[in-house]
Amino acid sequence: MLVNLVAERPTISYSWCATQLTFFSVFISSEVFILSAMACDRYVAICEPLLYTVIMSQALCHVLVAIPYLYGVFLSLLTVIKIFVSSFCGHKVIRHFYCDSLPLISLLCSDTHEIRLIILIFSTFNLVSSLLIVLVSYILILATILRMNSAEGRYKAFSTCGSHLTVIVVFYGTLFFMNVQPKSSHSFDTDKMASVFYTLVIPMLNPMIYSFRNKEVKNALHRTWKMCAHILFKTIL
C-alpha cells in the first residue's frame, strides 16, 4: 500500500490484492472486539479491583485475544473468497489506495447482491455488538465512579480508562462517519478520507495515546518539546 502511494502508476496483482484485503479484513474486524475486551478489562479493574487478578487470568486474556482473531480470519476468508471467485470486468481500476471490498465489488460483472448482503450483515453485527459491550462496560464503570467518596479515587479511576476511551471515540467515530452517511452524499472519496484515519492515523496515534500515563514518555515528550522550542528560538534570532 505504501509503495503504491508513491508510485507513478500504482498497480497490484490479482493474488496480492486478495492477500491485502484478507489481512485488512482480519485486523479491522478483530480490532473492534479487542477494544470491547479491553472495555471489559477496565470494568473489572475499576468495579472489581480485589478480584482483578483472579478474573482476568492469563488464560482468559489469551482467549479474549484469540477469539477476535479467529473470528476475523473466518469473516475475512468468507468475504474474500466470495469476491475473488466472481468474475471481474471493465478497466479494473480500483478507486482506492488499497484493496477494499466495496471498490472491488463495483468492478464485478456478476450479481453482487449476496456479497453486499454478507458484508452489510457482518459489518452491522460487528459494530453494534462490540459497541454495546463497550457502552454497558462504561455505564457500569461510571456508576461505580459516581459512588466513590474520594475525589482522588474518582480521578484515578478516570485516568485508568482515559487512554482506551480516547481510542474508542476516535475509532468508532470514524466508523460511524462512514456508515451513517445518507446515500445522496455517500461517495468513494469520503470513504477514502475516513479510511486514512482507521488504517493510518489511528494506528499511528495508538502508541502515543496508550503511553499518556507513562512518566518516561511524558518526560521524553517534554524534553523534545523544549529542545524544538530552543532550536526554533535560536533560528528566529
Side-chain angles (χ1 to χ4, degrees), residues 169-189:
V169 170
V170 176
F171 183 78
Y172 280 97
T174 306
L175 291 180
F176 269 111
F177 172 77
M178 287 187 63
N179 293 294
V180 183
Q181 293 180 89
K183 287 187 176 180
S184 58
S185 62
H186 190 88
S187 68
F188 278 126
D189 290 332

Side-chain angles (χ1 to χ4, degrees), residues 10-220:
T11 58
I12 189 167
S13 68
Y14 186 84
S15 57
W16 276 114
C17 185
T19 305
Q20 191 180 65
L21 178 58
T22 301
F23 278 101
F24 170 75
S25 301
V26 168
F27 292 134
I28 198 70
S29 57
S30 60
E31 184 174 1
V32 293
F33 289 106
I34 287 177
L35 288 172
S36 301
M38 291 173 70
C40 295
D41 174 79
R42 296 299 84 200
Y43 161 75
V44 177
I46 294 171
C47 301
E48 302 289 345
L50 299 178
L51 298 175
Y52 180 80
T53 53
V54 177
I55 297 173
M56 298 303 296
S57 62
Q58 192 171 16
L60 180 60
C61 291
H62 289 162
V63 170
L64 289 176
V65 173
I67 289 177
Y69 276 105
L70 290 174
Y71 170 75
V73 170
F74 160 75
L75 181 57
S76 174
L77 291 177
L78 177 65
T79 53
V80 171
I81 290 171
K82 279 285 185 182
I83 291 173
F84 282 89
V85 295
S86 304
S87 56
F88 288 88
C89 58
H91 49 274
K92 298 181 181 178
V93 176
I94 302 170
R95 295 176 58 192
H96 218 311
F97 59 90
Y98 66 94
C99 288
D100 199 3
S101 54
L102 292 180
L104 286 171
I105 288 172
S106 66
L107 302 178
L108 296 178
C109 296
S110 53
D111 182 32
T112 62
H113 176 73
E114 185 182 358
I115 303 172
R116 289 180 184 275
L117 186 62
I118 290 171
I119 293 174
L120 177 64
I121 291 171
F122 278 103
S123 297
T124 305
F125 170 76
N126 294 347
L127 190 61
V128 173
S129 60
S130 61
L131 188 57
L132 190 63
I133 295 170
V134 171
L135 288 175
V136 171
S137 298
Y138 274 103
I139 288 171
L140 295 174
I141 288 171
L142 183 61
T144 302
I145 292 174
L146 292 176
R147 287 198 301 266
M148 292 180 179
N149 296 322
S150 168
E152 184 181 352
R154 286 195 293 269
Y155 172 78
K156 189 175 181 181
F158 273 121
S159 64
T160 300
C161 53
S163 299
H164 177 252
L165 198 56
T166 305
V167 174
I168 287 289
V169 170
V170 176
F171 183 78
Y172 280 97
T174 306
L175 291 180
F176 269 111
F177 172 77
M178 287 187 63
N179 293 294
V180 183
Q181 293 180 89
K183 287 187 176 180
S184 58
S185 62
H186 190 88
S187 68
F188 278 126
D189 290 332
T190 54
D191 278 355
K192 283 190 284 187
M193 188 188 305
S195 297
V196 169
F197 276 89
Y198 66 76
T199 57
L200 298 174
V201 176
I202 295 174
M204 183 181 69
L205 290 176
N206 279 352
M208 294 177 62
I209 294 171
Y210 286 122
S211 301
F212 279 159
R213 296 179 65 223
N214 189 311
K215 290 184 179 179
E216 291 182 2
V217 173
K218 285 182 179 179
N219 292 334

